[in-house]
Amino acid sequence: MKGLMMHRPLKIADLITFAAENYPSGEIVSVRTEGDIHRTTYLETSKRVARLAHGLRRLGVKEGDRIATLAWNGYRHFELYYGVSGIGAVCHTINPRLSAEQMIYIVNHADDRLLFVDLTFVPIIEKLREQLPQGLRIVVLTDRAHMPETTLDGVLCYEEILDGETDSIDWPDFPEDQAAGLCYTSGTTGHPKGTLYTHRSTVLHAFNMCVTIPKTLCEGTRILPVVPLFHVNAWGLPYGAPLSGAGLIFPGGALDGKSVFDLMDREKVFSAWGVPTVWLGLMNEINQRGRLPEGFGDIVVGGSAAPRSLIEAFETKGINVCHAWGMTEMSPLGTQCNLPPQLQQLPLEERLDRKQSQGRRVFGVDMKIVDDAGNRLPHDGKVSGHLYVRGNTVTSGYFENPEASKEVFDAEGWFCTGDVAAIDADGFLKITDRSKDLIKSGGEWISSLDLENIVMSHPGVAGCAVIAVPDPKWDERPLLIVQARDDAQPRKQELIDLLAVRVAKWQLPDDVVFVEALPLTATGKVSKLTLRKTYAEDME
Ligand code: ADP
């Protein structure tokens, strides 16, 4: 028997309408590419979003059209998230750190109609213009006074699109599984693949994050998304913050430790979200100044494993560390590691053991681990296997890419994350590795993440990676690659000795290589693919 309740489609635009009514003075602060600080509120933003939506329609944007952005974190980019999806079009965020070849591929693959660019990125588009779709129109995210000199034809000015439009709108209705956002994964092999979010998945994800991280996402807190709007919806913050009433502080393009510290201090940011590298920079700055930014109490770390030493540095200064795991294909949040009350009282070392794990699943995401043959493995915290997920916020296939889609689902329809993990009886997930980064030595797996974690605790190490190199006897052996801190010169033996205390002898790296700088992917993670190409050529 069917229930008798109304069915109203879940729609993204309702989040900003809700925020405007419930938290009208909730603030959005942005460091602008023009160089100044801009302040606005959810109420004002909802009006500008309405004007943008009218402007987009005037430019001929229709339901289902892909509208691209190439921009830093700022209020105009936030407005596009709502204005574009609100009228049923698809907001396609592009990562400016992608290679030229990848960017050309995805703009053509997505068949974008408009491309909104920050001033900073106009030169990139000038270079690529010839290879982008003919009909693509470029809009610069600025006002008339700041429009740049450019070789691009027919460029539009963002503020002029909004000028003269009315600041209220009746958002159209459409099914809740209407496409709303598009984000391509950087793709370690082959072309990038597009994850196409729906209104429903996005709104449910916003709910999930608000109920799972409630102390951070609540009325009146101030959150700094260092994680970019151009990658996986800034981990859902543009939706979760307006839903919960938290304010947003957008940092623009300056993400070094000093700039992040100053902004947090001035704006009294409570919680800051980003990848581990950003927090290493911030911690350096905190140590140099001998104090924390004012109002700071919480970080959310994800994207790659948070080193234990990093978690310890923040926790011992009284900052709560929430270690989170997710993927582009999961909207992205899968698990988060805020501790339940009974574990918060544990002694530091035990707390760190827990926090080093990626934590418990968010509502709506189911997880299983399986062996090579696909058999389920126990959740005992010891056995690790291939991690699969399913849920309302998980992709059901890549955008216009049936071949890639076929490869990532098992017979039961679960999505293969490509991660190897263990899950313990309390539901805590521990990622061991990405499957392709695992090292198989003499038939046994060695976790590169475990080794990296230990090496990162050496004060002279700024970053490191462990990769597999081919070995005639053992198949593969670990090689440690280290980037030292500016003023430090850690010795090979010191690092091996540090590892020897914690891991079995056969797991120790055979060699240590020092590099000036570790290569990074477009999403700011160490590029093991590049390292393998350099140091383990014949494996590729
Ligand atoms: P890309 O590789 O293009 O940056 P994603 O941002 O979607 O794509 O990356 C998702 C992957 O990042 C996960 O499958 C996992 O391997 C890794 N990852 C994310 N968060 C964590 C974490 N907290 N610990 C370990 N690995 C993580």
Side-chain angles (χ1 to χ4, degrees):
M1 183 168 70
K2 273 196 162 190
L4 286 171
M5 300 302 280
M6 287 186 196
H7 180 85
R8 298 282 308 141
L10 298 173
K11 281 192 311 183
I12 290 174
D14 290 339
L15 298 171
I16 194 69
T17 306
F18 179 77
E21 286 172 17
N22 284 271
Y23 323 113
S25 58
E27 249 199 315
I28 300 181
V29 179
S30 309
V31 176
R32 293 208 288 191
T33 41
E34 290 93 333
D36 56 353
I37 300 268
H38 176 272
R39 291 177 185 279
T40 185
T41 61
Y42 284 131
L43 178 60
E44 282 309 310
T45 300
S46 75
K47 293 181 183 168
R48 280 177 53 89
V49 166
R51 287 164 56 198
L52 171 63
H54 293 304
L56 288 170
R57 280 184 170 154
R58 199 175 296 280
L59 287 171
V61 175
K62 303 261 180 317
E63 277 193 21
D65 284 349
R66 270 78 68 198
I67 306 301
T69 66
L70 190 65
W72 297 115
N73 287 6
Y75 67 104
R76 292 186 180 119
H77 202 175
F78 178 90
E79 288 161 6
L80 282 161
Y81 264 61
Y82 284 93
V84 172
S85 63
I87 58 167
V90 181
C91 183
H92 169 205
T93 52
I94 302 177
N95 186 335
R97 298 194 189 106
L98 290 174
S99 67
E101 189 197 338
Q102 287 174 320
M103 229 183 259
I104 292 164
Y105 170 81
I106 66 173
V107 176
N108 282 288
H109 185 262
D111 195 16
D112 294 319
R113 294 215 34 205
L114 291 172
L115 171 59
F116 288 80
V117 284
D118 260 343
L119 285 166
T120 338
F121 301 126
V122 171
I124 297 186
I125 298 305
E126 286 173 342
K127 282 206 198 86
L128 304 186
R129 184 65 191 102
E130 290 292 293
Q131 286 133 291
L132 300 178
Q134 278 277 304
L136 180 78
R137 294 196 76 178
I138 313 292
V139 184
V140 183
L141 287 161
T142 192
D143 55 20
R144 175 52 51 196
H146 290 89
M147 280 297 280
E149 290 270 321
T150 173
T151 54
L152 294 167
D153 269 350
V155 192
L156 301 169
C157 164
Y158 182 79
E159 291 298 331
E160 286 181 352
I161 295 179
L162 273 66
D163 281 349
E165 300 292 350
T166 58
D167 59 11
S168 66
I169 186 166
D170 283 332
W171 293 109
D173 267 340
F174 34 70
E176 61 184 11
D177 60 354
Q178 172 101 352
L182 178 62
C183 179
Y184 285 73
T185 59
S186 25
T188 41
T189 52
H191 286 306
K193 296 168 285 186
T195 303
L196 192 59
Y197 309 104
T198 63
H199 280 259
R200 175 183 162 80
S201 69
T202 306
V203 174
L204 289 177
H205 186 267
F207 275 110
N208 291 350
M209 67 195 293
C210 291
V211 292
T212 337
I213 315 181
K215 286 195 184 129
T216 306
L217 283 153
C218 61
E219 189 167 2
T221 54
R222 293 165 76 78
I223 303 181
L224 173 83
V226 175
V227 46
L229 288 167
F230 59 69
H231 186 58
V232 212
N233 309 319
W235 295 351
L237 279 174
Y239 307 115
L243 178 60
S244 64
L248 285 168
I249 314 298
F250 286 128
L255 304 175
D256 59 289
K258 182 178 180 310
S259 309
V260 170
F261 186 107
D262 285 339
L263 181 65
M264 289 178 70
D265 200 36
R266 200 175 50 234
E267 296 299 332
K268 316 262 181 312
V269 167
F270 168 67
S271 179
W273 297 39
V275 293
T277 16
V278 174
W279 307 133
L280 291 167
L282 177 66
M283 187 42 76
N284 278 344
E285 195 65 23
I286 290 172
N287 287 335
Q288 266 174 30
R289 301 201 199 186
R291 71 174 181 97
L292 294 167
E294 211 179 306
F296 182 30
D298 179 79
I299 57 169
V300 177
V301 196
S304 51
R308 185 185 181 93
S309 50
L310 179 80
I311 303 176
E312 182 174 7
F314 280 96
E315 287 273 332
T316 50
K317 287 184 165 56
I319 304 299
N320 176 60
V321 177
C322 175
H323 187 194
W325 165 83
M327 298 185 76
T328 304
E329 290 89 336
M330 298 175 67
S331 304
L333 203 52
T335 63
Q336 60 81 31
C337 198
N338 273 330
L339 296 182
Q342 68 275 20
L343 299 185
Q344 286 169 15
Q345 313 308 328
L346 289 175
L348 180 68
E349 288 304 314
E350 285 174 55
R351 249 191 308 135
L352 293 178
D353 288 345
R354 284 291 185 162
K355 291 219 165 186
Q356 223 182 303
S357 83
Q358 282 73 9
R360 294 165 296 164
R361 70 187 179 101
V362 298
F363 177 78
V365 173
D366 300 331
M367 306 192 292
K368 68 173 180 182
I369 46 173
V370 301
D371 64 15
D372 287 342
N375 302 310
R376 287 216 190 197
L377 293 169
H379 292 190
D380 62 4
K382 296 188 193 96
V383 190
S384 50
H386 305 285
L387 176 63
Y388 281 75
V389 292
R390 69 171 182 201
N392 292 320
T393 55
V394 178
T395 183
S396 63
Y398 293 108
F399 177 56
E400 296 195 350
N401 195 339
E403 299 81 36
S405 304
K406 247 189 289 167
E407 285 169 19
V408 289
F409 298 98
D410 71 5
E412 295 173 350
W414 292 64
F415 173 78
C416 176
T417 64
D419 287 331
V420 175
I423 302 172
D424 73 14
D426 297 330
F428 283 74
L429 176 79
K430 180 83 204 299
I431 304 276
T432 322
D433 242 319
R434 283 194 128 167
S435 1
K436 57 185 173 301
D437 294 339
L438 272 176
I439 302 153
K440 199 151 197 188
S441 175
E444 297 284 343
W445 281 353
I446 300 176
S447 157
S448 63
L449 284 187
D450 282 351
L451 300 182
E452 289 160 12
N453 232 312
I454 299 168
V455 174
M456 283 303 287
S457 68
H458 189 289
V461 173
C464 73
V466 175
I467 58 162
V469 292
D471 182 275
K473 184 166 174 199
W474 303 106
D475 265 351
E476 290 177 2
R477 291 294 303 151
L479 170 72
L480 170 63
I481 300 161
V482 173
Q483 179 184 335
R485 277 193 198 288
D486 293 346
D487 47 350
Q489 286 176 322
R491 285 179 303 112
K492 274 187 193 182
Q493 198 53 45
E494 252 172 65
L495 299 175
I496 298 292
D497 290 348
L498 182 68
L499 285 164
V501 184
R502 304 274 296 277
V503 303
K505 195 154 178 275
W506 62 272
Q507 297 184 335
L508 291 176
D510 284 4
D511 199 5
V512 184
V513 175
F514 290 93
V515 291
E516 281 289 306
L518 288 163
L520 298 181
T521 67
T523 49
K525 307 175 192 187
V526 173
S527 172
K528 292 198 177 175
L529 182 74
T530 314
L531 290 173
R532 277 199 291 269
K533 281 200 175 127
T534 314
Y535 296 101
E537 190 68 277
D538 39 351
M539 283 188 63
E540 293 301 317

